[in-house]
Amino acid sequence: MAKDTEYRPAQFERYWQQQWKERGSYRVVPDRSKPKYYALDMFPYPSGAGLHVGHPLGYIASDIVARYKRHCGYCVLHPMGYDSFGLPAEQYAIQTGRHPAETTAENIARYRAQLEALGFCYDWDREIRTSDPAYYRWTQWIFLQLFDSWYDLEQDRARPISELETLLSKGGSAAVRASGKALPNLTAKEWQELDSRAKEEILLGLRLAYRSESFVNWCPALGTVLANDEVKDGYSERGGYPVERRKMLQWNLRITAYAERLLNDLDGLDWTEALKETQRNWIGRSTGASLRFKIEQSESEIEVFTTRPDTLFGVSFLVLAPENELVAELTPPEFKTEVEAYVLASARKSERDRMADVRQVSGVFTGAYALHPFTGEKLPIWLADYVLAGYGTGAIMAVPAHDSRDWSFARRFDLPIRPVTEGAQVEDSAFESKEGILTQSDFLNGLSVSAAIEHMSRELEARGLGRRIVQYKLRDAVFGRQRYWGEPIPVYYDADGIPRPVREGHLPLQLPEIDLYQPTEQGDPPLARAQVWRYDPEQGLVGGDLGFPLETTTMPGWAGSSWYWLRYMDPASNDRFASREAEEYWGEVDLYIGGAEHATGHLLYSRVWPKFCFDRGWVGRSEPFKKLVNQGMIAGVSALIHRLESAAGEPVRYVSAGLINGRKTQPIHIDIGLVQQGKVDLEALHSWRSEFERAEFEAEEHGFFASEEVEKMSKRWHNVVNPDDVIETYGADVLRLFEMFLGPIEQHKPWNTQGLSGVQGFLKKLWRLATRPDLPDTSSEEALRSIHRCIKKVTDDIESLSFNTSVSAFMICVNELQETGGSGRDAFEILAVLLSPFAPHAAEELWSSILGCEASVLDGEWPVANPLYLQKSEVVYPVSFNGKTRFQLVLKPGMKPAEVQEIALTDERSARYLEGKTPKKVIVVPDKIVNIVF
RNA sequence: GUCCGAGUGGUGAAAUAGGUAGACACGAGGGACUUAAAAUCCCUUGACCCGAAAGGGUCGUGCGGGUUCGAUUCCCGCCUCGGGCACCA
């Protein structure tokens, strides 16, 4: 193919891409004689815009690791697929009437072509799409298993519902400790005598997939509910529309049952501390006590959660969330009007308003009093929206002296503030420190805060007033979406309106065809429009009025991505989401690369599903991703030209960036492609947008300049760089090397088109070196030294995922080889495959034809650096002394310990310090460190 | 507010069991080849100072201290930036 001594990637990249495809070069078959390695990328949502240069960053890194591991003798699973259900395709369908399946297929074709052009070693036979019925059959299947399970707190694992029923009929509610809605007190006999509907309702409160009426994040603009991680600062993450809180009947997943395990298992994962911390924050574990307050003239009690039971003697009032169910009951008639007005007002507030009002203190007195459990003191009960209904019990004991929110509230409404630690100053703010000695606190006096917490907790338990508990911020995940383009939830409603599972044999429950993708006029989800959307347990899907109604909401976007790595292991399996055999071989994902934006969404849900599958015995491990790396974003560089402010009628005038001189201008984004090193190609600008043809341009001596700004790559800012264009002008190898060279993989960095030339120059040089007709048959000593140093460095760097420095090492090596006249072909073959796959294949073919030898770039063994070549002739070594102190010595190779006293010390003061001392032992690590023991 | 992470040339960045700070590359400047351009190659490029030059010196890894013969690296206290969580009791 390539016979040129000029580097012309266009001549061979396409050819090799085709060859790999035809030969199935990257097909993977499990080989039990080899160790396995699983390198996974977060699969993309195939958007209409295609890939931009930021997307492949992580893919390139995982591709390098996959190739490296293959050369090291591993059987490597490196798959790719598409997270192809989602909102944008549906929004597009609503606007245009085109079926999301159709546009999704087109987008996928485009993604596939772009990915292939980049030369990735994916096994395309294993490609999956979450919107494919053959795939979502298993998403639905797992959902049904969740529906068929409950969480046993005794054994700390999920179990089948049938086992719960057995427990209940044998021992009644006393035999069961389950996560979920509290069971009513029932004896075994009482349970047995319940009718099936009543039983079903109780079970429904304990299933891991359950329906409940609760406050949800409702997004009117999108017409659907959203999970907590899909809401950012009161706006929807996708689209940025306002979100309200609304009480709705919804499908949920009981992920809170797994909170403790999600938290504990983080410790064993090789993830960044930042990401683990994000998940810990999201799970939000806090330990404390729950205790009950009696209400004056009422049978009811108020249960509160506190992390500071030690401050119980500092309580001066109680506060309930406006949504608290006790409000109506305990409010005396004369306070009703005011209380109801407050409840209504806070119900009307959107999530956003509530957040905006954080500093505003509001509340209302209910007129009722609670009694202090130890002193019997009357404590007024207030209502305030700073207490959240969804956390703890929706009620708190207020200790204004030691909690800043309670303090502000007490100040605002003139309630008593009682410090209970010695010397606490509470005039200007609450004393929140946990250092201190208790005072004014009866039996706690004289104890430290931590001892007092312990003492009080024990006391509460002994007196039966409360107990130690653990609270989490994590909420159950809302699972239903009022949308069309998602997996249908495989549930129907029987004559009693009880949700029942669709039979396994009827899966996949396929998305029906509908005429419009909008909600119905009654506000039902789009699926309610389907002609055929009822279910008969015998016949399956039926039309008209036959059978029972099917659920009309669909699963959220993260459903399909919560288990997809398992499907790659065995993508064609028909009797299980993946055969046990395949799952056992491939095990966990060894390296997972993707964006940090999924920290509390995908990366949390996809830790829950395997835990559940583990509990039920379908997989052998409960954590899916051993090592996880978040690649940084590549930001775009936007070009801005400056329009002078002008009156109506005046011609529009633009001014070069250097000539603004304080004049008032308005920056306008123009396509970054029209700018070269800050200079705007005015002719191209004219043809880009006709409005510029008539405008006037005030240029500088050397042209008209734009200013630049680093922003997120987006169509809107006209700063998107398309990998297709880069590949066309530079080649895929240059793009790959450059993205790795740009900086550490986890770092955010701006795209810099100019930098491409450096990597291109390097590849040209390498090509010339490799295709030189006068190749020497043996490499010189010096050349071998360069190569082996390079092998060592690149090996270490890839192991530690430091790709930028491995590219640098490679460049240095090539520079050295050029100087020393070496060829180093053998090492190059393999080194080059890693970092850039196309050129070495092309070069290999060329070598074969010149030398008549055979070499296989694809299956070659990873070279091991020979220590012989790592020695330098004279080295400056860092040295340790007495295991602690270090200084600098110059050593010659082959030197014996006794000779070391002759060494030259580079630093005068260090030399004086060492004078007259003779070393006992010298330890030399190739090219690195010498330890000298005296 | 709180918890993580990070601060090194004009730019992206190297170098941490403490040991020549700035590798590699971009950009900039100068030069060679060329009618010219492209391509390629060579030199200079942290700051300041001394010197005609060769060369030499001082300072320098956010700031201030500390440990050490020696600190970008370790310890203490700040400052700034980025990120997570946030009326979570």
Side-chain angles (χ1 to χ4, degrees):
Chain A
M1 248 333 256
K3 294 175 188 61
D4 221 315
T5 51
E6 281 292 306
Y7 176 63
R8 296 191 215 279
Q11 290 184 348
F12 55 76
E13 286 193 354
R14 228 168 265 261
Y15 168 80
W16 279 103
Q17 191 185 312
Q18 197 57 35
Q19 288 294 306
W20 293 337
K21 207 172 184 173
E22 282 168 17
R23 297 182 197 172
S25 304
Y26 298 119
R27 202 167 289 146
V28 190
V29 181
D31 178 349
R32 263 151 230 287
S33 67
K34 289 181 178 175
K36 68 89 196 181
Y37 193 88
Y38 190 171
L40 181 66
D41 293 300
M42 284 188 191
F43 62 168
Y45 172 79
S47 80
L51 293 172
H52 65 62
V53 289
H55 294 119
L57 184 70
Y59 305 158
I60 297 167
S62 67
D63 196 69
I64 288 171
V65 174
R67 286 173 186 273
Y68 166 75
K69 288 289 176 183
R70 189 177 296 131
H71 288 297
C72 288
Y74 287 83
C75 188
V76 178
L77 179 55
H78 186 47
M80 183 43 96
Y82 307 96
D83 189 14
S84 48
F85 271 134
L87 275 178
E90 180 158 347
Q91 302 284 59
Y92 190 73
I94 290 171
Q95 286 160 21
T96 63
R98 289 191 64 195
H99 197 290
E102 205 180 299
T103 48
T104 301
E106 284 171 14
N107 293 346
I108 287 177
R110 171 132 189 253
Y111 268 63
R112 172 72 181 265
Q114 286 185 300
L115 292 170
E116 280 179 354
L118 279 156
F120 295 130
C121 62
Y122 295 124
D123 178 356
W124 287 111
D125 290 352
R126 292 174 185 263
E127 182 195 279
I128 55 172
R129 304 168 183 204
T130 54
S131 60
D132 181 350
Y135 178 90
Y136 69 69
R137 167 188 175 178
W138 295 106
T139 311
Q140 290 175 331
W141 184 84
I142 296 172
F143 172 84
L144 288 182
Q145 307 314 310
L146 285 158
F147 181 74
D148 185 46
S149 301
W150 62 291
Y151 200 89
D152 185 349
L153 294 169
E154 212 67 60
Q155 299 188 3
D156 205 18
R157 67 182 180 99
R159 299 173 66 184
I161 284 284
S162 60
E163 294 179 17
L164 174 62
E165 288 179 282
T166 311
L167 283 177
L168 285 168
S169 44
K170 280 192 183 150
S173 57
V176 172
R177 271 217 314 136
S179 176
K181 206 169 167 184
L183 275 170
N185 272 326
L186 289 169
T187 62
K189 190 151 180 281
E190 283 169 329
W191 165 259
Q192 288 163 26
E193 281 165 1
L194 289 176
D195 63 25
S196 73
R197 184 180 171 162
K199 279 181 179 169
E200 209 35 71
E201 263 164 17
I202 287 172
L203 294 179
L204 208 50
L206 298 176
R207 292 176 188 274
L208 291 187
Y210 66 99
R211 223 161 60 124
S212 76
E213 176 132 285
S214 56
F215 282 97
V216 294
N217 304 304
W218 172 256
C219 179
L222 293 174
T224 187
V225 297
L226 299 169
N228 281 354
D229 68 278
E230 293 167 312
V231 182
K232 268 236 169 292
D233 301 327
Y235 292 87
S236 69
E237 195 170 36
R238 280 208 184 258
Y241 304 108
V243 172
E244 308 174 349
R245 291 165 46 73
R246 215 194 243 194
K247 203 163 192 174
M248 286 175 86
L249 189 59
Q250 280 299 327
W251 280 98
N252 298 280
L253 291 193
R254 199 178 302 289
I255 61 172
T256 49
Y258 285 94
E260 190 70 27
R261 283 164 69 188
L262 287 169
L263 192 66
N264 291 338
D265 290 353
L266 278 174
D267 294 338
L269 298 177
D270 188 2
W271 293 15
T272 59
E273 215 28 64
L275 191 68
K276 288 194 204 178
E277 203 54 35
T278 302
Q279 289 213 343
R280 287 191 193 110
N281 281 337
W282 187 260
I283 295 167
R285 182 185 201 268
S286 52
T287 53
S290 116
L291 62 150
R292 291 185 302 279
F293 286 80
K294 290 203 157 55
I295 303 170
E296 200 184 38
Q297 291 167 4
S298 165
E299 290 301 301
S300 301
E301 291 181 319
I302 294 174
E303 191 172 4
V304 304
F305 171 70
T306 178
T307 53
R308 295 289 304 274
D310 59 307
T311 60
L312 188 53
F313 290 100
V315 173
S316 46
F317 54 101
L318 298 192
V319 189
L320 304 186
E323 297 91 346
N324 195 301
E325 284 160 11
L326 289 170
V327 174
E329 181 191 328
L330 55 76
T331 308
E334 63 271 31
F335 287 88
K336 279 245 152 35
T337 328
E338 219 177 318
V339 167
E340 274 165 13
Y342 185 76
V343 170
L344 199 67
S346 46
R348 280 221 192 96
K349 271 191 199 172
S350 70
E351 191 79 334
R352 201 163 28 106
D353 294 339
R354 222 166 145 155
M355 261 185 264
D357 291 350
V358 161
R359 301 282 154 236
Q360 302 258 326
V361 180
S362 76
V364 65
F365 178 46
T366 61
Y369 290 89
L371 303 172
H372 192 285
F374 289 93
T375 64
E377 188 194 348
K378 278 172 72 173
L379 305 167
I381 302 171
W382 286 69
L383 234 52
D385 64 5
Y386 81 87
V387 175
L388 305 174
Y391 184 75
T393 57
I396 62 154
M397 59 178 224
V399 186
H402 301 285
D403 180 287
S404 59
R405 296 152 303 180
D406 297 344
W407 187 90
S408 316
F409 196 80
R411 267 294 156 91
R412 168 77 175 73
F413 295 106
D414 210 15
L415 293 156
I417 298 172
R418 274 180 223 143
V420 289
T421 56
E422 283 174 13
Q425 290 299 316
V426 295
E427 281 311 301
D428 303 316
S429 65
F431 181 81
E432 293 188 294
S433 164
K434 282 187 154 193
E435 307 290 316
I437 302 297
L438 273 283
T439 178
Q440 310 282 326
S441 295
D442 196 350
F443 56 88
L444 297 178
N445 286 344
L447 294 174
S448 71
V449 167
S450 60
I453 288 175
E454 184 56 32
H455 192 99
M456 178 55 97
S457 304
R458 236 180 296 133
E459 196 61 30
L460 288 168
E461 281 174 354
R463 299 197 190 194
L465 294 167
R467 65 207 158 87
R468 266 175 269 222
I469 61 163
V470 176
Q471 276 292 340
Y472 301 94
K473 281 194 274 185
L474 185 74
R475 308 290 152 86
D476 281 342
V478 179
F479 199 68
R481 296 289 181 277
Q482 289 69 13
R483 311 294 307 191
Y484 174 73
W485 193 231
E487 301 87 345
I489 293 178
V491 160
Y492 69 95
Y493 297 91
D494 70 10
D496 289 329
I498 299 285
R500 302 281 182 185
V502 164
R503 285 193 178 183
E504 214 176 302
H506 289 141
L507 297 183
L509 178 64
Q510 293 207 38
L511 269 175
E513 291 304 317
I514 56 173
D515 53 347
L516 279 171
Y517 301 96
Q518 276 137 342
T520 65
E521 267 137 51
Q522 294 78 42
D524 290 322
L527 287 193
R529 292 179 177 277
Q531 296 297 307
V532 182
W533 199 242
R534 290 177 74 87
Y535 183 74
D536 180 307
E538 298 306 320
Q539 300 164 52
L541 207 58
V542 288
D545 292 331
L546 301 168
F548 300 109
L550 276 161
E551 172 62 48
T552 53
T553 58
T554 52
M555 298 189 198
W558 45 267
S561 61
S562 295
W563 68 280
Y564 74 108
W565 66 93
L566 292 166
R567 189 63 178 171
Y568 285 134
M569 297 174 179
D570 192 7
S573 173
N574 268 326
D575 30 62
R576 188 56 82 71
F577 50 81
S579 73
R580 196 58 208 266
E581 208 189 358
E583 194 274 325
E584 258 163 31
Y585 181 73
W586 294 114
E588 69 210 322
V589 173
D590 294 284
L591 175 66
Y592 192 29
I593 300 187
E597 66 274 20
H598 298 108
T600 52
H602 163 62
L603 286 174
L604 197 72
Y605 300 124
S606 53
R607 292 181 61 221
V608 173
W609 289 41
K611 281 183 166 28
F612 167 69
C613 290
F614 174 79
D615 287 354
R616 294 292 308 266
W618 299 306
V619 299
R621 41 181 45 76
S622 63
E623 277 294 336
F625 313 126
K626 189 160 127 198
K627 183 173 176 63
L628 183 125
V629 174
N630 294 122
Q631 90 272 21
M633 271 202 311
I634 295 187
V637 177
S638 310
L640 300 154
I641 57 172
H642 302 270
R643 186 171 66 198
L644 281 173
E645 280 196 350
S646 57
E650 267 185 278
V652 181
R653 214 171 148 73
Y654 292 90
V655 57
S656 186
L659 300 174
I660 299 174
N661 297 329
R663 284 182 282 177
K664 270 207 165 176
T665 61
Q666 199 181 4
I668 312 276
H669 277 87
I670 61 167
D671 195 308
I672 188 69
L674 304 169
V675 180
Q676 281 283 322
Q677 294 183 28
K679 201 158 124 183
V680 182
D681 182 341
L682 287 179
E683 252 176 66
L685 183 68
H686 292 158
S687 46
W688 181 57
R689 291 275 162 91
S690 58
E691 73 209 60
F692 293 110
E693 278 177 56
R694 291 180 302 272
E696 288 174 22
F697 290 86
E698 192 176 315
E700 293 171 54
E701 195 184 338
H702 299 290
F704 187 88
F705 290 86
S707 52
E708 293 181 342
E709 200 170 309
V710 173
E711 286 171 306
K712 197 177 167 183
M713 259 192 208
S714 148
K715 253 184 174 167
R716 190 168 159 210
W717 307 126
H718 307 293
N719 61 358
V720 176
V721 180
N722 186 326
D724 303 349
D725 299 339
V726 178
I727 289 173
E728 204 185 305
T729 41
Y730 295 92
D733 286 337
V734 171
L735 176 63
R736 290 172 56 116
L737 276 177
F738 177 63
E739 292 211 4
M740 289 300 99
F741 182 72
L742 211 48
I745 183 84
E746 326 78 14
Q747 213 136 94
H748 296 287
K749 52 222 153 193
W751 178 257
N752 167 14
T753 300
Q754 283 165 344
L756 279 163
S757 66
V759 185
Q760 189 189 30
F762 159 73
L763 267 174
K764 282 179 179 174
K765 217 185 290 180
L766 174 64
W767 184 261
R768 234 176 295 128
L769 206 62
T771 58
R772 221 161 47 179
D774 59 330
L775 281 175
D777 348 294
T778 50
S779 301
S780 66
E781 173 89 13
E782 255 176 304
L784 285 170
R785 205 173 283 140
S786 303
I787 290 161
H788 285 265
R789 257 205 307 272
C790 177
I791 292 170
K792 174 103 175 56
K793 178 83 173 129
V794 171
T795 306
D796 293 348
D797 284 346
I798 291 176
E799 290 283 354
S800 61
L801 306 183
S802 174
F803 302 101
N804 55 329
T805 50
S806 70
V807 177
S808 293
F810 208 176
M811 290 180 167
I812 293 168
C813 180
V814 170
N815 282 341
E816 285 171 355
L817 286 173
Q818 198 179 25
E819 277 168 34
T820 57
S823 80
R825 220 171 43 235
D826 301 337
F828 264 162
E829 275 181 18
I830 294 164
L831 285 176
V833 169
L834 293 171
L835 302 172
S836 71
F838 287 114
H841 281 87
E844 178 190 47
E845 201 175 55
L846 193 69
W847 296 330
S848 307
S849 66
I850 294 172
L851 305 166
C853 68
E854 270 189 53
S856 175
V857 171
L858 211 60
D859 312 316
E861 245 174 66
W862 183 253
V864 176
N866 186 341
L868 210 67
Y869 296 117
L870 298 180
Q871 310 265 358
K872 291 177 191 165
S873 54
E874 186 180 272
V875 195
V876 180
Y877 284 117
V879 171
S880 89
F881 172 54
N882 281 351
K884 190 193 166 203
T885 335
R886 277 145 223 280
F887 49 89
Q888 191 99 352
L889 303 173
V890 178
L891 297 180
K892 302 215 158 64
M895 211 179 239
K896 299 206 175 66
E899 296 170 294
V900 176
Q901 53 192 301
E902 296 168 20
I903 50 189
L905 294 165
T906 53
D907 178 66
E908 216 182 295
R909 272 191 296 177
S910 298
R912 226 179 300 132
Y913 184 71
L914 196 76
E915 221 168 10
K917 289 170 178 149
T918 314
K920 282 185 202 141
K921 201 164 115 195
V922 181
I923 307 152
V924 180
V925 180
D927 201 30
K928 248 204 148 175
I929 292 165
V930 173
N931 269 296
I932 300 196
V933 183
F934 289 85

